[in-house]
């Protein structure tokens, strides 16, 4: 049966970390959530966990670096739901923690750009057809990072930081292009969050890391678009 009347949200990289928590919080808010993951076992397990808690979650395999996988996921989605209200580009990689721009490995830069920039662009392009069917106005949220900010940039993790700055440019580009379609596009800095990526010393639990993303998905006014957010406040790019 297709999801027709419920609000729907699709989250990439939702098998662990912040993405999994976003899915949990949105499902608790009554969304039908689509948990995307590149690994079938991990993705099924994450969706099953929510279903066992009485929430509505469906797994769809999606590797953001693979255009065929994105296209296939888009086709699978159309068999399960007739519209998409919220798309969250959460999947991301950080490989050059401790790296230095003076010795930046170009292949590492390619991988960061492929997963963190090219991936979200292709996911938005393919899923746009479903967002355009949202009755409430579609919402796209790109999970960026504080290290993307040009105003506050340091020398930390150059490939990752550059890729997240580029992701912010993706947000601005799509926000402008989709304004007349009533689809909002925003970037979020979730803060330093205790996940595999953030590590055990991070000062935020996943619940807090997901908070602003869930707010933008469910509660923020539909007029808010083309902005960079942290703790529900607009911040400088
Ligand atoms: P994790 O490393 O814990 O999780 C990353 C998720 O992305 C995993 O589900 C992983 O899947 C998935 N992923 C990676 N590559 C791909 C791919 N090619 N296709 C599909 N999925 C993929 O990270 P976090 O939860 O901490 O991070 C989530 C987002 O938040 C990222 O975009 C990150 O940059 C951002 N962020 C995180 C911060 C933090 O402190 N944790 C701070 C600022 C931003 P798999 O399990 O298969 O590897």
């Amino acid at each position: 049966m297709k999801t027709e009347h419920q609000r729907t949200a699709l989250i990439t990289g939702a098998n662990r970390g912040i993405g999994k928590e976003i899915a949990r919080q949105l499902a608790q808010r009554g969304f039908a959530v689509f948990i995307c993951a590149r690994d079938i076992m991990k993705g099924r397990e994450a969706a099953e966990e929510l279903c066992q808690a009485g929430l509505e979650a469906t797994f769809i395999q999606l590797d953001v670096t693979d255009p065929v996988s994105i296209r296939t996921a888009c086709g699978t989605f159309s068999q399960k739901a007739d519209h998409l209200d919220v798309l969250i580009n959460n999947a991301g990689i950080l490989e050059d923690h401790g790296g230095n721009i003076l010795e930046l490995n170009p292949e590492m830069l390619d991988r960061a750009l492929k997963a963190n920039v090219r991936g979200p662009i292709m996911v938005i392009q393919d899923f746009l057809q479903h967002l355009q069917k949202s009755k409430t106005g579609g919402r796209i949220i790109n999970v960026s990072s504080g290290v993307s900010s040009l105003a506050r940039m340091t020398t930390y993790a150059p490939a990752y930081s550059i890729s997240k700055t580029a992701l912010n440019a993706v947000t601005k580009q799509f926000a402008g292009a989709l304004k007349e379609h009533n689809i909002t596009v925003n970037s979020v800095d979730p803060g330093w969050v205790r996940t595999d990526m953030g590590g055990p010393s991070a000062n935020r639990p996943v619940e807090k890391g997901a908070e602003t993303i869930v707010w933008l998905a469910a509660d923020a006014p539909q007029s808010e678009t083309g902005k960079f957010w942290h703790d529900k406040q607009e911040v400088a790019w």
Side-chain angles (χ1 to χ4, degrees):
M1 204 178 71
K2 280 194 178 187
T3 301
E4 287 177 16
H5 304 299
Q6 228 174 335
R7 281 196 290 179
T8 55
L10 182 135
I11 306 119
T12 64
N15 56 289
R16 61 185 165 102
I18 298 171
K20 186 178 178 188
E21 176 61 16
I22 296 166
R24 190 187 68 77
Q25 290 190 21
L26 285 177
Q28 275 190 334
R29 297 278 307 260
F31 278 77
V33 298
F34 290 84
I35 294 207
C36 293
R38 57 181 162 180
D39 183 288
I40 295 179
M41 293 301 288
K42 289 197 251 176
R44 279 201 183 131
E45 215 173 281
E48 189 54 29
E49 228 178 86
L50 293 186
C51 292
Q52 276 172 5
L55 302 171
E56 191 161 339
T58 306
F59 164 64
I60 297 181
Q61 187 177 22
L62 195 164
D63 181 336
V64 302
T65 62
D66 177 359
V68 176
S69 170
I70 297 170
R71 187 59 51 90
T72 306
C74 199
T76 306
F77 180 84
S78 58
Q79 289 161 14
K80 296 177 187 293
D82 70 349
H83 69 282
L84 178 62
D85 298 304
V86 178
L87 165 64
I88 301 177
N89 281 307
N90 165 79
I93 57 164
L94 162 57
E95 291 185 335
D96 63 340
H97 183 76
N100 182 324
I101 189 82
L102 299 176
E103 289 133 27
L104 176 59
N105 175 338
E107 275 152 26
M108 192 177 277
L109 179 63
D110 286 349
R111 285 198 296 276
L113 293 172
K114 194 172 180 185
N116 300 347
V117 186
R118 201 188 81 156
I121 292 174
M122 289 189 304
V123 171
I124 294 170
Q125 286 176 340
D126 276 10
F127 279 89
L128 194 53
Q129 56 185 301
H130 301 306
L131 284 160
Q132 280 172 328
K133 293 181 192 149
S134 168
K135 291 180 184 73
T136 52
R139 297 177 179 217
I140 298 169
I141 300 152
N142 293 325
V143 183
S144 183
S145 165
V147 302
S148 71
S149 166
L150 288 173
R152 299 181 296 279
M153 187 153 296
T154 66
T155 56
Y156 171 78
Y160 177 75
S161 300
I162 290 165
S163 73
K164 291 294 189 179
T165 308
L167 177 63
N168 290 346
V170 170
T171 294
K172 289 296 278 188
Q173 286 280 339
F174 275 109
L178 294 176
K179 201 156 193 174
E180 65 189 44
H181 297 265
N182 194 25
I183 295 173
T184 65
V185 192
N186 288 285
S187 275
V188 176
D189 162 20
W192 188 23
V193 185
R194 280 193 298 283
T195 61
D196 292 338
M197 184 185 290
S201 310
N203 59 1
R204 291 186 161 206
V206 281
E207 291 82 356
K208 184 73 180 162
E211 190 180 76
T212 298
I213 298 159
V214 168
W215 171 76
L216 276 169
D219 301 323
Q222 187 67 15
S223 52
E224 298 290 14
T225 189
K227 296 181 179 173
F228 188 23
W229 299 89
H230 177 66
D231 286 349
K232 302 183 190 171
Q233 301 291 321
E234 188 184 358
V235 290
W237 292 105

